[in-house]
Amino acid sequence: MWSILTSSNFQWVLASTMTLGIASGMVGCLAYWKKQSLMSDALAHSALPGVIVGFLVIGEKNIIFLITGAAVSALVGAFFIQWIQSATRITEDTAMGMVLSIFFGLGIMLLTIVNRSAGGNQSGLDSFIFGQAASMVKLDVFTMLILALVAITIISIGFKEWKLFLFDPQFAKGLGLSLSMMNVIYTLILVTTIVIGIQAVGVILIAALLIIPSVSVRYWTNSFHYMLILSALFGGLSGAIGTYLSAVGKGWPTGPFIVVVAAILFIFSLLFGKEKGLFITWFEQYLERKRIGTTKQTSTIGTKGVN
């Protein structure tokens, strides 16, 4: 155990997945209040074809080209979602489902072709489906850290603008805040968080890391400010603990463990969260019934005394 903790490779991977968790938690809060949690899932699946195309263009697994391809593919997916919604009678959630399925199917088809080509089965592209943080090299880690910190900084610096944009867009527009620009920035940081996380968590599970922490902290606070902080904390804990557990298992996939830890935090929040957690709600109802019963009993005794 101690040898794992002192390993420089483990420490770098831990730092990157923890930072990714923090960024995912904060970006997930924006998606939650924008009512676009499914958008993160759609764009994550849309990124897979871009990863494969990026590999086909240069013929090697270069993280810069791969995440660039993933980002372009995800942005194309976002464009198609917006276009389908505005140009047809199809609703936004249906458009997201369509783009998710089509792009992911295309990605799996391209991945199969690459794996059957000469040397393609050694490319390691399969790790982008479920994630494999242990396979990351130092360039991968630095790239993930820098881009995750950029997303965290953008959200932190523009906290007031994000709050206006999400909760009172008309007032924000009256103050001169460009809603279209805010939408562009939101989409860019969402895509950035997705593409830097797909190698560690995978295209299937990165959406869970974006969605679960923000949903979990909703049971602890109604404040957007504290929700951002707690969601970042939950995401960071999920990344750190999940990475450690996968490292102890020597070769276990990192993404599933990170998501399982996030799910455990969600279940704990669902049960014991002070904002309508199931146990807390039951306990409050129990105290209320007990109070009402005591009041009725006192009233009955008082009536008998008068008689």
Side-chain angles (χ1 to χ4, degrees):
M1 183 183 296
W2 182 250
S3 60
I4 294 174
L5 293 176
T6 55
S7 167
S8 60
N9 181 63
F10 168 76
Q11 291 171 355
W12 278 110
V13 172
L14 179 68
S16 62
T17 52
M18 186 166 61
T19 308
L20 171 66
I22 293 171
S24 298
M26 297 178 74
V27 175
C29 273
L30 304 185
Y32 175 87
W33 286 112
K34 210 172 184 300
K35 295 180 174 60
Q36 286 190 340
S37 294
L38 183 59
M39 176 70 84
S40 58
D41 199 17
L43 297 187
H45 285 74
S46 299
L48 183 58
V51 173
I52 313 302
V53 171
F55 174 80
L56 290 173
V57 168
I58 62 171
E60 63 180 23
K61 192 178 175 182
N62 184 297
I63 188 63
I64 302 298
F65 281 89
L66 296 186
I67 67 171
T68 300
V72 172
S73 183
L75 287 172
V76 171
F79 168 78
F80 273 116
I81 291 171
Q82 295 296 327
W83 178 79
I84 291 171
Q85 182 188 1
S86 60
T88 69
R89 299 175 63 181
I90 297 174
T91 59
E92 184 179 41
D93 58 338
T94 305
M96 291 179 186
M98 290 173 59
V99 169
L100 183 154
S101 304
I102 294 170
F103 274 69
F104 188 64
L106 176 61
I108 294 297
M109 182 190 72
L110 292 173
L111 181 61
T112 303
I113 294 172
V114 169
N115 285 339
R116 290 181 178 178
S117 63
N121 57 350
Q122 303 298 321
S123 65
L125 294 178
D126 290 342
S127 63
F128 283 92
I129 298 180
F130 294 107
Q132 184 57 271
S135 66
M136 293 192 300
V137 297
K138 189 166 289 188
L139 177 61
D140 303 344
V141 172
F142 278 130
T143 304
M144 181 185 292
L145 278 172
I146 292 171
L147 293 178
L149 288 172
V150 168
I152 293 170
T153 303
I154 290 174
I155 296 175
S156 301
I157 292 178
F159 171 75
K160 292 181 179 179
E161 287 76 11
W162 289 116
K163 192 173 183 179
L164 286 172
F165 170 68
L166 293 171
F167 298 103
D168 199 344
Q170 295 306 316
F171 181 63
K173 188 176 181 180
L175 292 177
L177 187 66
S178 173
L179 300 184
S180 58
M181 181 58 67
M182 292 297 292
N183 266 311
V184 169
I185 296 173
Y186 161 75
T187 303
L188 287 176
I189 61 174
L190 177 60
V191 169
T192 300
T193 307
I194 288 170
V195 299
I196 63 175
I198 56 177
Q199 186 173 5
V201 185
V203 296
I204 295 178
L205 298 176
I206 183 62
L209 192 57
L210 284 159
I211 296 170
I212 295 177
S214 58
V215 175
S216 301
V217 301
R218 193 68 178 88
Y219 287 97
W220 294 100
T221 180
N222 290 319
S223 166
F224 178 62
H225 179 232
Y226 289 115
M227 189 174 174
L228 270 178
I229 295 173
L230 286 176
S231 189
L233 176 63
F234 278 30
L237 282 175
S238 301
I241 297 173
T243 300
Y244 172 75
L245 292 176
S246 66
V248 170
K250 296 180 180 180
W252 290 347
T254 308
F257 277 91
I258 291 176
V259 173
V260 167
V261 173
I264 292 172
L265 291 174
F266 167 74
I267 293 171
F268 180 80
S269 302
L270 176 65
L271 294 175
F272 302 105
K274 71 182 186 68
E275 297 293 337
K276 297 184 178 181
L278 295 181
F279 177 78
I280 299 300
T281 301
W282 173 84
F283 187 67
E284 289 176 347
Q285 291 174 349
Y286 168 77
L287 292 178
E288 182 66 17
R289 288 195 300 268
K290 190 174 182 180
R291 184 188 65 80
I292 293 173
T294 304
T295 303
K296 287 182 178 179
Q297 187 177 7
T298 304
S299 175
T300 303
I301 293 174
T303 303
K304 289 180 179 179
V306 172
N307 293 336

